[in-house]
Amino acid sequence: MKLSKEIRVYCSTCKKHIVHTVSVVSVSRKRGKLSKGERQKSRGTRGHGGHGKFSKVPVSKMARRSKTTRKIPIKLTCKECGKASQRSLGRMKKTEIKR
Ligand SMILES: [Zn+2]
């Protein structure tokens, strides 16, 4: 979906409708080197014997997903006071801001 660069929405600080600039919120970066699951797996697969749940072929997170789209948050910045707020746009495959 193509989004317009600016939209006129309510600003809770200015208490009126003001033109806001639209930007797509970036995905947060990964924390730490190994995730909890990765640490669990390395603990489970050391030594001898059956590895229980780790003996199976791992199923990727993407394979477990049933939805093909994701909810997209956008960042709205007020042009008068500079206050930023977030808003969800619902499910869509791709977002693009018009130039
Ligand atoms: Zn404002």
Side-chain angles (χ1 to χ4, degrees):
M1 189 184 160
K2 277 190 180 170
L3 305 168
S4 53
K5 212 172 173 184
E6 290 174 343
I7 52 168
R8 204 174 133 83
V9 286
Y10 184 76
C11 176
S12 55
T13 313
C14 306
K15 309 239 184 270
K16 58 184 175 180
H17 276 73
I18 286 168
V19 175
H20 284 63
T21 52
V22 178
S23 56
V24 176
V25 177
S26 60
V27 182
S28 63
R29 68 198 161 83
K30 209 176 171 187
R31 294 166 66 199
K33 277 176 187 167
L34 288 171
S35 68
K36 191 190 171 191
E38 282 170 283
R39 287 197 302 271
Q40 247 173 18
K41 182 162 184 170
S42 66
R43 226 180 293 135
T45 53
R46 72 178 172 204
H48 302 282
H51 300 309
K53 86 184 243 203
F54 298 115
S55 294
K56 292 178 220 157
V57 178
V59 179
S60 71
K61 236 176 196 175
M62 210 54 211
R64 261 180 275 149
R65 277 177 71 97
S66 59
K67 292 182 174 72
T68 56
T69 54
R70 60 193 186 93
K71 285 180 180 173
I72 288 162
I74 55 163
K75 191 176 160 192
L76 298 167
T77 314
C78 179
K79 278 214 161 176
E80 264 191 37
C81 64
K83 180 100 176 161
S85 58
Q86 259 190 48
R87 183 178 288 197
S88 180
L89 286 177
R91 295 197 173 273
M92 58 186 75
K93 276 206 162 162
K94 219 165 124 184
T95 43
E96 203 180 307
I97 291 171
K98 270 189 251 170
R99 306 217 170 250

